Amino acid sequence: MQESSRRGDKDPFCVIHKLPSGDAPYARAKRVLMVEKDPEAAIVLFWNAINARDRVESALKDMAVVMKRLDRSEEAIEAIKSFRNLCPKQAQESLDNILIDLYKKCGRTNEHIDMLKQKLRLIYQGEAFNGKPTRTARSNRKKFQITIEQETSRILGNLGWVYMQKSNYMAAEVVYKKAQMIDPDANKACNLALCLINQGRYTEAHSVLKEVLQGKLPNSEDCKAQNRAQELMLEVEPKWLPPSETIKLEGFDLEDDFSDGFEKVLNIWAPFRTKRLPIFVEEISSYRNQLAC
């Protein structure tokens, strides 16, 4: 009886509200956050939990999420960097995901790019998903499985988005094309078209958008994708010219030592490609800027 009470196994309040039982710092932090609705006080208690080594992984993740909501993302970044070494190896990938979200929130594009590249390294080294072929994800309270291929395409899409924020449209084009080779979808196609538009390559952009509007890509039926493709097409059509020679990407030099390894992975997933499109680019020519940071 005493042991059951100490564990809090029979506490109906904790069971109903899915809260940790007991009076340890992390349990108190969760109650203050979820029941008393006081995020500032919860952050203090999450810090107490971390310092007391009480469920450090959960406390660190929860605190970072709360800090982001309160526009304290810079603090959250420093907290994860300082205390992630106290978390097990299995927690590092999810901490990386939180950091990526925080870097995006803060506009720290160089660190955002570096973290996305690191995730791609883990994939080609076989360490993503803790070595498993799939992982469980959640959306709208539903669980579903994500494959390595889907995750790779998603990360490449995110990397392309960051390059677009830096107005580095050629680098964004490269990674969006990579993503589309692995797991194509209409949203990334629209982003690829935008990259081409910003380079004045309207004929190629027209071809990409046409695939979306004709429903040839997954998720093409989505209203948002259709509307966006139509808006971009309105911009393209007045400037659409006869096809001209396009930029050849296969002569680029690779920036990162892991790109060759990642290419081997892509060759397994998409072995029938006719062009080699490096993910990261060091130089194009003397009259173009360096693409990747």
Side-chain angles (χ1 to χ4, degrees):
M1 180 73 176
Q2 184 177 1
E3 183 180 356
S4 176
S5 176
R6 186 166 58 248
R7 293 199 314 263
D9 294 348
K10 305 299 183 181
D11 187 341
F13 182 86
C14 292
V15 173
I16 293 172
H17 294 278
K18 298 181 179 180
L19 295 172
S21 58
D23 198 42
Y26 178 73
R28 284 188 281 124
K30 289 293 285 187
R31 285 197 293 273
V32 168
L33 178 64
M34 304 302 295
V35 180
E36 300 178 21
K37 309 294 184 183
D38 189 344
E40 293 285 0
I43 288 175
V44 175
L45 291 170
F46 282 132
W47 272 124
N48 291 343
I50 293 169
N51 291 326
R53 303 300 189 265
D54 175 32
R55 298 186 62 173
V56 175
E57 176 188 343
S58 297
L60 188 57
K61 291 177 181 178
D62 289 345
M63 184 176 72
V65 172
V66 175
M67 283 180 167
K68 181 189 172 187
R69 293 175 186 166
L70 299 178
D71 290 326
R72 295 170 61 179
S73 295
E74 295 285 354
E75 293 178 62
I77 290 171
E78 295 309 313
I80 292 177
K81 286 184 174 180
S82 299
F83 291 96
R84 67 181 304 167
N85 64 300
L86 300 176
C87 301
K89 182 180 179 180
Q90 295 89 334
Q92 299 305 314
E93 191 169 350
S94 58
L95 288 170
D96 285 344
N97 290 336
I98 295 174
L99 271 178
I100 286 171
D101 201 29
L102 292 168
Y103 287 143
K104 181 178 180 180
K105 173 81 171 178
C106 296
R108 291 167 64 164
T109 54
N110 290 338
E111 290 153 300
H112 195 173
I113 288 171
D114 289 341
M115 185 60 68
L116 291 170
K117 289 182 180 181
Q118 174 61 22
K119 290 187 74 67
L120 291 172
R121 285 189 183 94
L122 292 177
I123 288 174
Y124 101 74
Q125 291 169 352
E127 298 178 14
F129 295 1
N130 294 314
K132 298 178 181 178
T134 63
R135 71 174 175 86
T136 302
R138 293 176 177 83
S139 179
N140 298 323
R141 298 184 179 180
K142 293 182 179 180
K143 294 182 180 181
F144 56 95
Q145 294 296 308
I146 294 180
T147 66
I148 286 288
E149 291 89 342
Q150 291 170 327
E151 178 72 355
T152 304
S153 182
R154 185 189 69 83
I155 294 171
L156 287 169
N158 289 343
L159 184 59
W161 182 88
V162 182
Y163 278 130
M164 287 178 70
Q165 306 316 298
K166 294 169 69 70
S167 299
N168 201 336
Y169 299 110
M170 291 189 71
E173 175 198 348
V174 170
V175 292
Y176 275 128
K177 284 184 174 179
K178 283 283 191 182
Q180 290 295 81
M181 288 177 181
I182 300 168
D183 187 37
D185 70 62
N187 182 57
K188 291 194 292 288
C190 289
N191 287 340
L192 172 59
L194 183 57
C195 294
L196 295 168
I197 290 170
N198 279 283
Q199 296 176 69
R201 293 158 62 189
Y202 301 107
T203 299
E204 295 169 76
H206 185 279
S207 177
V208 172
L209 293 171
K210 189 176 179 181
E211 286 192 325
V212 177
L213 294 173
Q214 292 180 346
K216 294 181 178 180
L217 295 174
N219 300 319
S220 293
E221 73 283 355
D222 181 72
C223 291
K224 291 183 179 179
Q226 283 288 316
N227 291 338
R228 189 176 180 212
Q230 289 172 5
E231 290 175 1
L232 291 172
M233 188 65 89
L234 289 175
E235 183 178 350
V236 167
E237 284 185 332
K239 305 171 184 177
W240 187 23
L241 299 174
S244 58
E245 184 177 354
T246 58
I247 297 175
K248 294 183 179 180
L249 301 175
E250 64 266 29
F252 291 1
D253 294 327
L254 297 179
E255 176 196 15
D256 294 292
D257 56 1
F258 67 89
S259 294
D260 285 335
F262 194 76
E263 281 288 334
K264 293 177 183 177
V265 175
L266 293 182
N267 285 334
I268 295 173
W269 295 338
F272 302 113
R273 292 173 301 144
T274 58
K275 287 189 176 182
R276 186 171 186 271
L277 302 175
I279 300 172
F280 306 114
V281 181
E282 184 174 353
E283 291 181 356
I284 301 174
S285 67
S286 60
Y287 57 85
R288 292 195 184 273
N289 293 328
Q290 181 177 335
L291 287 185
C293 294

